[in-house]
Amino acid sequence: MRRTGIPFALLSALLFGASTPMAKLLLGSIDPQMTAGLLYLGAGIGLGCARLARGLLGHRAAEAPLRRGDLPWLGLVILTGGLAGPLLLMLGLARTDASTASLLLNLEGLATMAIAWIVFRENVDRRLLAGAFAILAGAALLSYGGEGAARARLNLGSVWIAGACLCWGIDNNLTRRLSAADPVQLAMLKGLVAGAVNVVLALLHGVPLPDPRLLAMAALVGFLGYGVSLALYVLALRHLGAARTGAYFSLAPFVGAMLALVLLRDPVSTILLTAGALMAIGLWLHLSERHEHDHLHDEMEHEHSHRHDEHHRHAHPPGVQPGEPHTHPHRHARLWHRHAHYPDLHHRHGHHRHHLSQETH
């Protein structure tokens, strides 16, 4: 679980982090709402082409499809993460240099963790809290800019970016409920719907489409930085839960900040370096966490891609394709055991005081 989920989260972070300075370059020539729409539309169309090519080649993904009961959650995911989040980010990027904006995106991980802990009751410990406060302190430093009296004013671009992070924090926790389904299908639908809506709204406001060269660049950045990244993020959610995936995804802002310093020649300031150091400490605290205790698996039935590991000891109904991984509805019997784990699809249990006393970090 740990070997599988963490690489997905880190690769997702690398792709999304690299997209931030590239989006900043696009904003020099494209309206913010049009940019947000094109990025997500590129993600949706790119993943749709990938699914089509996979089908034509005869490669079937061993993934559970989205069901009718998933549609309300998918609608909320598209609204918060596909429409509001990217639009607020583009508005913020237009008013903030790319390196500062990239580091401020650490607030997405913090928002994801806070919502997971407070609303969805994922377990939390002192190490994770200390890391979250370090990230918050770094973000607070970056939210104030300028010289003299201007330093005391909150930068409006930072407010927009913080709003985007809150939207994506909500989105990430809602997406966790869908993480058993096909991640490519989920990311494709989100990209197509959210991208089309933002592009149409921009056109209705009189914003013209960019020239073909910029259009192709936006589509490529969207496909990699939003489409592929989101599919990997969903896989990470499946294995790590929302809070831990958000913690590992905190690598993305550092990738974006470093690229911005190299590609866009953003100035290196004391505030930027201090904030980066605080956020790096927070990320290290999250990456070094280990969670282990005796725990009980209640009976449950669900559907997702799986192999026959220690949590999947079941018979197959007729018609299930041979080979692994595969997907079909299956039932889990009650099981009591102990091993290192995260709040994945099979570990969403409560934590009582006697459990917490047995955790190791």
Side-chain angles (χ1 to χ4, degrees):
M1 175 183 58
R2 184 181 177 93
R3 288 194 301 269
T4 304
I6 293 175
F8 286 148
L10 294 179
L11 184 54
S12 173
L14 285 171
L15 290 172
F16 181 73
S19 73
T20 301
M22 301 306 295
K24 178 69 175 179
L25 287 173
L26 291 171
L27 285 170
S29 306
I30 310 177
D31 171 81
Q33 186 165 35
M34 178 64 75
T35 302
L38 291 175
L39 290 172
Y40 265 93
L41 203 54
I45 293 173
L47 291 175
C49 291
R51 277 174 61 89
L52 179 61
R54 187 174 65 190
L56 292 175
L57 293 173
H59 298 305
R60 291 184 56 192
E63 293 288 351
L66 288 165
R67 304 297 185 183
R68 179 172 298 185
D70 297 326
L71 295 182
W73 297 106
L74 179 62
L76 290 173
V77 163
I78 292 171
L79 178 63
T80 55
L83 294 172
L87 177 57
L88 290 172
L89 174 61
M90 294 307 119
L91 291 171
L93 267 176
R95 295 166 173 81
T96 311
D97 62 77
S99 56
T100 296
S102 293
L103 286 180
L104 275 170
L105 286 173
N106 262 303
L107 289 174
E108 178 186 346
L110 191 62
T112 301
M113 288 181 277
I115 294 169
W117 295 334
I118 297 170
V119 179
F120 294 99
R121 302 300 183 184
E122 285 192 17
N123 65 291
V124 59
D125 58 32
R126 294 175 185 173
R127 177 180 291 271
L128 290 176
L129 281 175
F133 279 121
I135 291 171
L136 180 60
L141 275 179
L142 293 174
S143 297
Y144 292 88
E147 299 296 334
R151 186 179 295 278
R153 296 199 300 268
L154 192 65
N155 182 288
L156 181 59
S158 299
V159 175
W160 289 125
I161 294 171
C165 291
L166 177 60
C167 288
W168 277 323
I170 297 171
D171 166 28
N172 293 336
N173 279 277
L174 296 176
T175 301
R176 194 189 85 154
R177 300 184 65 93
L178 306 174
S179 61
D182 185 347
V184 176
Q185 182 188 26
L186 173 58
M188 179 192 71
L189 291 174
K190 182 178 179 180
L192 289 174
V193 175
V197 169
N198 266 326
V199 168
V200 168
L201 289 176
L203 291 173
L204 290 176
H205 282 88
V207 178
L209 284 171
D211 65 64
R213 181 180 61 85
L214 289 173
L215 201 61
M217 182 180 175
L220 179 61
V221 172
F223 171 60
L224 294 174
Y226 287 74
V228 178
S229 176
L230 176 57
L232 292 168
Y233 193 94
V234 174
L235 287 171
L237 283 172
R238 180 184 299 177
H239 292 282
L240 302 175
R244 272 74 179 175
T245 301
Y248 288 108
F249 195 75
S250 296
L251 175 68
F254 299 104
V255 175
M258 293 303 102
L259 282 178
L261 293 174
V262 173
L263 297 178
L264 305 181
R265 307 295 184 188
D266 283 355
V268 180
S269 65
T270 303
I271 287 181
L272 186 69
L273 292 175
T274 305
L278 284 168
M279 291 176 168
I281 292 170
L283 178 59
W284 174 79
L285 286 169
H286 291 154
L287 291 174
S288 57
E289 181 220 4
R290 178 178 174 83
H291 182 79
E292 179 176 348
H293 60 84
D294 295 325
H295 55 276
L296 173 67
H297 294 266
D298 287 323
E299 286 188 16
M300 65 181 298
E301 184 173 353
H302 61 177
E303 181 182 7
H304 64 91
S305 178
H306 63 277
R307 299 179 184 272
H308 286 175
D309 57 16
E310 63 180 318
H311 295 97
H312 295 91
R313 308 292 189 194
H314 51 254
H316 286 137
V320 173
Q321 295 293 326
E324 296 184 2
H326 55 227
T327 182
H328 60 87
H330 55 276
R331 178 178 294 277
H332 293 270
R334 284 171 64 89
L335 174 65
W336 178 271
H337 62 174
R338 178 188 183 99
H339 61 89
H341 62 277
Y342 285 112
D344 64 3
L345 291 177
H346 305 99
H347 296 90
R348 295 181 178 175
H349 48 260
H351 288 79
H352 304 295
R353 184 170 301 174
H354 69 279
H355 283 169
L356 293 175
S357 66
Q358 298 179 55
E359 292 178 22
T360 59
H361 306 288

